[in-house]
Amino acid sequence: MQHIQVKTSMPSDVCCGAGAADRLSEILKEKEVFVLTDENVYRLYQDFISRTLPNASVKVIAAGEKHKNRRTLFEIIDAMMSARLHRNSWLVALGGGVVGDMGGLAASLYMRGIGALQVPTTLLAQVDSSVGGKTAIDHGGVKNVIGTFYQPRYVLCDPMFLKTLPPREIKCGLGEIIKTAALDSNIYEKICQNAQRIYDLDFLSEITADCVRFKAKIVGEDETEKSGKRKCLNMGHTTGHALELRYGRRSHGEYVLIGMWLESFIAEEEGVCTHEYAENIRSLISLAEKKIPLFKDAESAAEVAVLDKKNEDGKCVSLILPKTYGEYKELFLSIDKYKKYLDRLSGAER
Amino acid sequence: MQHIQVKTSMPSDVCCGAGAADRLSEILKEKEVFVLTDENVYRLYQDFISRTLPNASVKVIAAGEKHKNRRTLFEIIDAMMSARLHRNSWLVALGGGVVGDMGGLAASLYMRGIGALQVPTTLLAQVDSSVGGKTAIDHGGVKNVIGTFYQPRYVLCDPMFLKTLPPREIKCGLGEIIKTAALDSNIYEKICQNAQRIYDLDFLSEITADCVRFKAKIVGEDETEKSGKRKCLNMGHTTGHALELRYGRRSHGEYVLIGMWLESFIAEEEGVCTHEYAENIRSLISLAEKKIPLFKDAESAAEVAVLDKKNEDGKCVSLILPKTYGEYKELFLSIDKYKKYLDRLSGAER
């Protein structure tokens, strides 16, 4: 088991490896506990919950990003009130990114903040969303537009949960792993050397700890995304988010892969990286996503991107592009130019 | 003009005195600004807004605590989205406690936090609620149960606004001033020496800065109410909040006065302070509130108090009681004992 500390205003302890989830009962001994989970996870881990946290109140929400909204948030808060949680109570978010984002938000808002503990059950959540304290709901067609920065006190990343994940969910987590590889040359190399093990759970558990360590460092330097350092984590996300909101259906991680793939061409054409490096990034992406889909009318997704909170003046679109091994560059494109790129790169003419 | 810094994770600058509000245009020069205000304040200060912040988007909400709820919060967030605010935009909360609490919450949630600037227009907000970063809405019958700790970057307390306040609003602010006097012996003395000037705006402007300085010190030592130091600011509030939620109609500050008055008897009977000191506290209260009203069926308010976030285990009620000049003591009462006190002290038999 690896222990990683995220050094923020309210430090988080992340435990990665087999047995991490068993720490739950020890950490929360004699605490009042509220478990948030979704119907899929509950079906699989109902026994785990009642064994490790026998006295907890449990709230089960509908699964899926489309429920990451105001309505579900207040459903959760109402359940917390019914459970008569107090300021010393804890919320355990047991699930994927949606449960983690909403659980974190509910924990940060309830009585101005109770203890939050993340138990991410998907690869995506283990490798990325459970660490760093970003909480959110989607609203008015904009992803994560409402949220807080609120550090969980503990994050327990246990590979046990990956065993019950459908392969598509693994691909989804690979989206953020491959993004991290484009930002950190050691992770890049490790993945290249283990390309054939990319769906192997032991390898994934190992690389998860590497990705968490990378993210912990960035978050420790820029907790609330003010200094600009944390921005790098948005590689592939501007286009990914925009397509996700416009077209739905696929998962966040898949859209990150698609976003990175499309943006690698922009990076190349804008002279941010060489053709060769862009090709390397695309090979990396193709380890997880063999076939990038086409999108009709993709320029309309650009309109969505402008509303994204990453784009500070509302006129330009900010892209975090691959530059070379372990390096990135932020590029601002006018909305018109970005529209043309999206249309050309993701449309049928590609 | 007095400058006071609140030394928290995100420091706030508080300016108290004539001319403070004029700093708005200088501070927000070239920024994208969203002004939140209520219909009462807007009626009086529409010209002030268009003169100092000519390019701002303005959202006017219905006035009153009963609108401090989820519905209004999302009305505000939707208006922020329509105004296409981005992460570098600022929210100015121009109004009393309700506008400040909700504006602060909306600013903390929108894109995980934009700059917040408080321009408190009531004495209560100037002296207390605008400083310290507590934001909130009421929900499910519990006051401030949803909120965040989010420091405004600036607070501008200008006595100009007090001129248009109805006398009842002044009394309301006196609630928090008198509470502060019970916690700080210098403020206590100053008020006793100026008892005849207690409704004089020059005196109030001076004492506001003193109260802000006291609060800034406490908040700097315990920003998120974890160490216990900040608890003292809740003197009179357990009973005040409970009666406020149960009976409504009166304002928060009036309920703080009533709460302190009732709790002064509890302090005396529980041996926390002498009869003489309790009488002194009651004389202080009577400078602002001549006649403490009776409440029928007050024990039912005790049920509400248990749900209050100050009461951590849900079984006892925490009271911050006056001990002696500049000192307080936290006392826990069982719900039954507290019910009996409330019933006897505030009921018709008193």
Side-chain angles (χ1 to χ4, degrees), chain B residues 129-146:
Chain B
S129 62
S130 66
V131 174
K134 280 195 179 181
T135 80
I137 54 171
D138 305 332
H139 183 69
V142 183
K143 230 177 118 64
N144 298 335
V145 72
I146 294 175

Side-chain angles (χ1 to χ4, degrees), chain B residues 227-300:
Chain B
S227 80
K229 286 213 170 177
R230 193 166 175 161
K231 266 189 185 169
C232 70
L233 302 172
N234 287 327
M235 183 176 278
H237 282 61
T238 297
T239 305
H241 272 177
L243 295 172
E244 185 177 356
L245 278 166
R246 173 68 181 75
Y247 300 98
R249 289 198 319 127
R250 281 158 224 282
S251 71
H252 174 72
E254 289 174 279
Y255 275 115
V256 169
L257 289 166
I258 296 166
M260 279 184 71
W261 197 87
L262 295 172
E263 290 178 6
S264 73
F265 288 99
I266 301 179
E268 192 180 333
E269 296 196 31
E270 293 287 322
V272 174
C273 71
T274 62
H275 170 70
E276 190 198 347
Y277 185 63
E279 283 283 309
N280 287 349
I281 291 292
R282 291 191 285 271
S283 309
L284 201 64
I285 294 166
S286 68
L287 290 175
E289 183 66 87
K290 300 290 173 219
K291 194 168 165 10
I292 302 295
L294 300 175
F295 296 96
K296 262 194 188 166
D297 189 28
E299 61 186 88
S300 61

Side-chain angles (χ1 to χ4, degrees), chain B residues 168-342:
Chain B
R168 191 170 172 187
E169 277 294 330
I170 299 286
K171 180 164 96 180
C172 182
L174 285 172
E176 297 290 352
I177 291 174
I178 284 167
K179 174 201 80 179
T180 311
L183 295 165
D184 181 291
S185 52
N186 292 325
I187 295 176
Y188 180 97
E189 213 168 298
K190 202 175 209 172
I191 291 178
C192 290
Q193 283 165 0
N194 292 275
Q196 74 297 347
R197 293 176 67 207
I198 199 128
Y199 280 88
D200 170 321
L201 294 190
D202 288 335
F203 174 69
L204 288 173
S205 170
E206 193 186 323
I207 205 86
T208 293
D210 295 331
C211 290
V212 166
R213 201 171 291 108
F214 175 81
K215 184 162 182 183
K217 188 175 141 277
I218 300 287
V219 170
E221 289 168 359
D222 182 20
E223 182 177 2
T224 57
E225 223 158 19
K226 291 288 185 299
S227 80
K229 286 213 170 177
R230 193 166 175 161
K231 266 189 185 169
C232 70
L233 302 172
N234 287 327
M235 183 176 278
H237 282 61
T238 297
T239 305
H241 272 177
L243 295 172
E244 185 177 356
L245 278 166
R246 173 68 181 75
Y247 300 98
R249 289 198 319 127
R250 281 158 224 282
S251 71
H252 174 72
E254 289 174 279
Y255 275 115
V256 169
L257 289 166
I258 296 166
M260 279 184 71
W261 197 87
L262 295 172
E263 290 178 6
S264 73
F265 288 99
I266 301 179
E268 192 180 333
E269 296 196 31
E270 293 287 322
V272 174
C273 71
T274 62
H275 170 70
E276 190 198 347
Y277 185 63
E279 283 283 309
N280 287 349
I281 291 292
R282 291 191 285 271
S283 309
L284 201 64
I285 294 166
S286 68
L287 290 175
E289 183 66 87
K290 300 290 173 219
K291 194 168 165 10
I292 302 295
L294 300 175
F295 296 96
K296 262 194 188 166
D297 189 28
E299 61 186 88
S300 61
E303 298 286 354
V304 182
V306 182
L307 258 182
D308 193 294
K309 64 188 165 313
K310 288 185 284 299
N311 303 309
E312 292 169 3
D313 65 356
K315 283 165 210 139
C316 282
V317 171
S318 144
L319 299 172
I320 303 295
L321 299 176
K323 192 173 158 192
T324 181
Y325 302 97
E327 290 181 36
Y328 68 94
K329 187 186 167 184
E330 180 171 22
L331 188 81
F332 294 93
L333 285 186
S334 74
I335 170 81
D336 282 340
K337 197 164 185 189
Y338 180 62
K339 263 187 191 172
K340 280 182 195 140
Y341 269 125
L342 272 199

Side-chain angles (χ1 to χ4, degrees), chain A residues 70 74 77-78 81 84 86-88 105 108-113 134-137 139-140 142 144-149 153 225-226 306-314, chain B residues 70 74 77-78 81 84 86-88 105 108-113 134-137 139-140 142 144-149 153 225-226 306-314:
Chain A
R70 156 171 56 170
F74 278 86
I77 290 173
D78 288 340
M81 290 180 75
R84 295 200 158 215
H86 279 268
R87 280 203 286 211
N88 294 335
L105 182 55
S108 74
L109 288 174
Y110 189 79
M111 296 191 174
R112 299 196 186 96
K134 280 194 178 181
T135 80
I137 54 170
H139 183 69
V142 183
N144 299 335
V145 71
I146 295 175
T148 50
F149 287 102
R153 311 247 186 105
E225 222 159 21
K226 291 287 185 300
V306 182
L307 258 183
D308 194 294
K309 64 191 165 313
K310 288 185 284 297
N311 303 307
E312 291 169 2
D313 65 355
Chain B
R70 155 171 57 169
F74 278 85
I77 289 173
D78 288 339
M81 289 181 76
R84 295 202 155 214
H86 279 267
R87 280 203 286 211
N88 294 334
L105 182 54
S108 73
L109 287 174
Y110 189 79
M111 296 190 174
R112 300 198 185 96
K134 280 195 179 181
T135 80
I137 54 171
H139 183 69
V142 183
N144 298 335
V145 72
I146 294 175
T148 51
F149 287 102
R153 310 247 187 105
E225 223 158 19
K226 291 288 185 299
V306 182
L307 258 182
D308 193 294
K309 64 188 165 313
K310 288 185 284 299
N311 303 309
E312 292 169 3
D313 65 356

Side-chain angles (χ1 to χ4, degrees), chain A residues 49-279:
Chain A
I49 297 170
S50 43
R51 195 178 67 243
T52 49
L53 299 167
N55 300 314
S57 311
V58 181
K59 169 72 185 168
V60 181
I61 56 173
E65 176 88 22
K66 73 169 184 226
H67 299 289
K68 200 174 114 175
N69 56 24
R70 156 171 56 170
R71 190 173 159 177
T72 314
L73 175 68
F74 278 86
E75 226 182 76
I76 298 166
I77 290 173
D78 288 340
M80 293 166 82
M81 290 180 75
S82 299
R84 295 200 158 215
L85 296 198
H86 279 268
R87 280 203 286 211
N88 294 335
S89 307
W90 285 67
L91 182 144
V92 173
L94 176 79
V98 171
V99 166
D101 282 7
M102 277 202 293
L105 182 55
S108 74
L109 288 174
Y110 189 79
M111 296 191 174
R112 299 196 186 96
I114 64 170
L117 191 154
Q118 296 276 352
V119 187
T121 57
T122 64
L123 182 60
L124 177 81
Q126 292 196 0
V127 93
D128 186 60
S129 63
S130 66
V131 174
K134 280 194 178 181
T135 80
I137 54 170
D138 305 332
H139 183 69
V142 183
K143 233 178 114 64
N144 299 335
V145 71
I146 295 175
T148 50
F149 287 102
Y150 191 73
Q151 299 300 329
R153 311 247 186 105
Y154 295 91
V155 183
L156 308 177
C157 299
D158 197 316
M160 152 184 112
F161 297 110
L162 305 183
K163 288 180 196 154
T164 51
L165 277 187
R168 191 171 172 186
E169 278 293 331
I170 298 285
K171 180 162 99 181
C172 183
L174 285 172
E176 297 290 352
I177 291 175
I178 284 168
K179 176 202 79 180
T180 310
L183 294 166
D184 182 291
S185 51
N186 293 324
I187 295 176
Y188 180 97
E189 214 168 299
K190 202 175 210 172
I191 290 177
C192 290
Q193 284 165 359
N194 292 275
Q196 74 297 347
R197 294 176 65 207
I198 198 127
Y199 279 87
D200 171 321
L201 294 189
D202 288 336
F203 175 68
L204 287 173
S205 171
E206 191 187 324
I207 205 84
T208 293
D210 295 331
C211 290
V212 166
R213 201 171 290 108
F214 175 82
K215 185 162 181 182
K217 189 177 141 274
I218 300 288
V219 170
E221 288 168 359
D222 183 18
E223 182 177 2
T224 58
E225 222 159 21
K226 291 287 185 300
S227 79
K229 288 213 171 178
R230 192 166 176 160
K231 266 189 186 170
C232 70
L233 301 173
N234 287 326
M235 184 176 279
H237 282 61
T238 296
T239 304
H241 271 176
L243 295 173
E244 186 177 355
L245 278 165
R246 174 68 180 75
Y247 299 98
R249 290 199 317 128
R250 282 160 221 280
S251 72
H252 175 70
E254 290 175 279
Y255 275 116
V256 169
L257 289 166
I258 296 167
M260 278 184 73
W261 197 88
L262 295 172
E263 290 179 7
S264 73
F265 288 98
I266 301 180
E268 191 180 334
E269 295 196 31
E270 292 287 322
V272 173
C273 71
T274 62
H275 170 69
E276 190 199 347
Y277 186 62
E279 283 284 309

